[in-house]
Amino acid sequence: MTTTLDPSPLDFERCYRALAARDTRFDGQFVTTVLTTGIYCRPSCPARTPKADNVRFELTAAAAAARGFRACRRCLPDATPGSPLWNVRSDLAARAMRLIADGVVDRDGVGGLAAALGYTERHISRVLVAELGAGTVALARTHRATAARLLLNSTDMSIGDVAFAAGFSSIRQFNDTIRELYDTTPSALRASGGRAGPSSTGDSITLRLPFRPPYDSAWTLYGLAAHAVDGLELWDGSTFERTLRLPHRPASVRISLGPDHVVTTFEHLDMRDLGAAVNRVRRLLDLDADPVAVDDALGRDPILRPLVDAHPGIRIPGSVDGVETLIRVMMGQQISVKAARTHIARLVAELGEPTGWPSVGGRPNVLFPTAEAIAEHGPAVLTGPARAIRSITAAAACGERMELHAGVDASNLRADLLRLSGVGDWTADQVVMRVTGDPDILTRRDLVIDRALADLGAGPTDTGSWRPWRSYASMHLWRQQLAHRVDDVVAP
């Protein structure tokens, strides 16, 4: 049984089979509402399976809440990985959900979301209600409540601090929302959560971010470690750390991958940025993917089957900053990999924005340079082919004005990128894949992929059956060619 749900209305029989089997693979893909109890649960809830007549299914917790249902305190349906639908879909509803998860509504209001997507507030809300069963405000409110419950159950932050960190504008709004969605008070919700102990101190907080196993952690860590730049990033052989540019102030994040979660420590964090910081880490590591569905689909292809069997759960690299991704990918296209890393390190050292905290033991304390800084001072810092330098600095100038965020339409972004001087198919494909998370990109004119296909006795015409997971197929082909480098960087 495939685990990827079609974006059309949920199929009742299919969902009920998953519910009866308590199939954890469906957690986060839909919620179960129980008419007789007034609660909603994740599919794997250990409670007795309700009768089919008493069950309805919703795509989102917000849709369940809008119909008056409360979250189950036993299975915590809001504590699951995010929906893979936002990875697969590129329509307006999915792009809006990505930006809501990044906290755009909390920071800029519904108008800010509309401006980022290029549609009216009314149209976006109408689409969200039609597609997901809840409007913009309800979806944002449920996202805030989920963040608040996570903080209540995993940190020792005061309840007032939790309210504002989760994005609520007042304590009263926070209390009313928790009562409505969980039928309890924030204090009681914290008491029932079974906290393991404090995990926050001042502007530092440690969280466990869940994902759906399997996860090919060696490939993800290789990608982070192989391109780590001093001052901006640090790989110590087991954990990865980097700085983040966030809405209110810079922060750092340190990650360590476990079997079904990522231990994530944020430091120097303005707690109002917590939701955005978590969302960007999840996108960087592709934590909301559905690896079973991807592996099932790609594993049916005889060309890819040995690669999938050898490395199940591969992920595609994400992005925490669109302009940074554009510049770094362009460097990889214009000059050699080794030279690109040297130039990026020089840009960071000379044009990077200091965070204001000391670097202890080489820990990161510089932000990637802004687009303006690269456009203005890049030619004086970079060396190499003049044409490459001009195209990189020109792209930086355009990148500041270009829509380079998770909510942008992938096809529009690709078209915009190809209009830039020095940006070809390879760069455009890589940037679109990383910034938007598009799962179906087979990078054009990629020598590594061409070599891998030749080694496997395949050609470009053999890849049509890989849809809609060609981005993941690309990662398998890259991994096959770079296996010795992965092993050198990440110990088995």
Side-chain angles (χ1 to χ4, degrees), residues 77-345:
D78 54 350
T80 61
S83 172
L85 285 175
W86 318 144
N87 290 7
V88 178
R89 293 170 58 169
S90 60
D91 58 12
L92 178 59
R95 290 186 285 119
M97 283 298 293
R98 294 174 198 151
L99 293 184
I100 290 171
D102 196 60
V104 169
V105 174
D106 299 335
R107 294 191 299 272
D108 305 323
V110 177
L113 178 68
L117 293 171
Y119 292 89
T120 65
E121 297 177 21
R122 178 176 295 181
H123 179 69
I124 293 172
S125 188
R126 183 166 57 244
V127 168
L128 291 173
V129 170
E131 294 288 324
L132 306 177
T136 308
V137 173
L139 289 163
R141 185 185 66 157
T142 301
H143 185 265
R144 287 193 293 270
T146 297
R149 189 204 56 75
L150 176 66
L151 294 174
L152 288 170
N153 292 157
S154 62
T155 77
D156 59 352
M157 294 170 62
S158 71
I159 288 178
D161 288 343
V162 166
F164 294 112
F168 290 95
S169 59
S170 69
I171 299 295
R172 179 175 180 179
Q173 182 193 58
F174 171 56
N175 289 334
D176 290 347
T177 298
I178 295 299
R179 285 193 184 96
E180 183 175 346
L181 296 186
Y182 297 102
D183 193 30
T184 188
T185 64
S187 297
L189 187 61
R190 164 168 278 176
S192 66
R195 257 187 317 141
S199 58
S200 67
T201 305
D203 57 2
S204 174
I205 183 170
T206 298
L207 300 171
R208 291 161 59 102
L209 307 183
F211 58 76
R212 298 172 180 83
Y215 192 110
D216 183 9
S217 59
W219 175 246
T220 294
L221 292 174
Y222 163 75
L224 297 173
H227 300 92
V229 172
D230 289 345
L232 178 71
E233 299 151 320
L234 175 66
W235 166 252
D236 67 6
S238 60
T239 62
F240 175 79
E241 184 172 358
R242 68 156 293 151
T243 56
L244 297 172
R245 178 177 276 108
L246 296 170
H248 293 95
R249 77 178 187 207
S252 69
V253 59
R254 185 168 63 255
I255 61 175
S256 177
L257 285 166
D260 62 358
H261 66 275
V262 178
V263 178
T264 309
T265 299
F266 297 102
E267 295 185 356
H268 314 289
L269 180 70
D270 184 316
M271 289 301 170
R272 293 173 294 176
D273 291 330
L274 180 60
V278 168
N279 180 63
R280 293 176 195 186
V281 170
R282 295 195 69 86
R283 294 192 61 79
L284 175 68
L285 305 178
D286 198 14
L287 297 185
D288 294 327
D290 184 350
V292 175
V294 175
D295 290 352
D296 283 350
L298 297 182
R300 288 195 291 269
D301 184 274
I303 297 170
L304 291 180
R305 186 182 302 122
L307 307 185
V308 174
D309 290 344
H311 303 292
I314 205 165
R315 298 307 206 267
I316 57 177
S319 168
V320 296
D321 182 273
V323 171
E324 176 185 333
T325 300
L326 171 61
I327 299 304
R328 296 181 77 155
V329 171
M330 279 195 73
M331 289 279 195
Q333 180 192 38
Q334 299 281 356
I335 53 183
S336 69
V337 174
K338 184 177 180 180
R341 187 171 180 181
T342 299
H343 285 316
I344 292 168

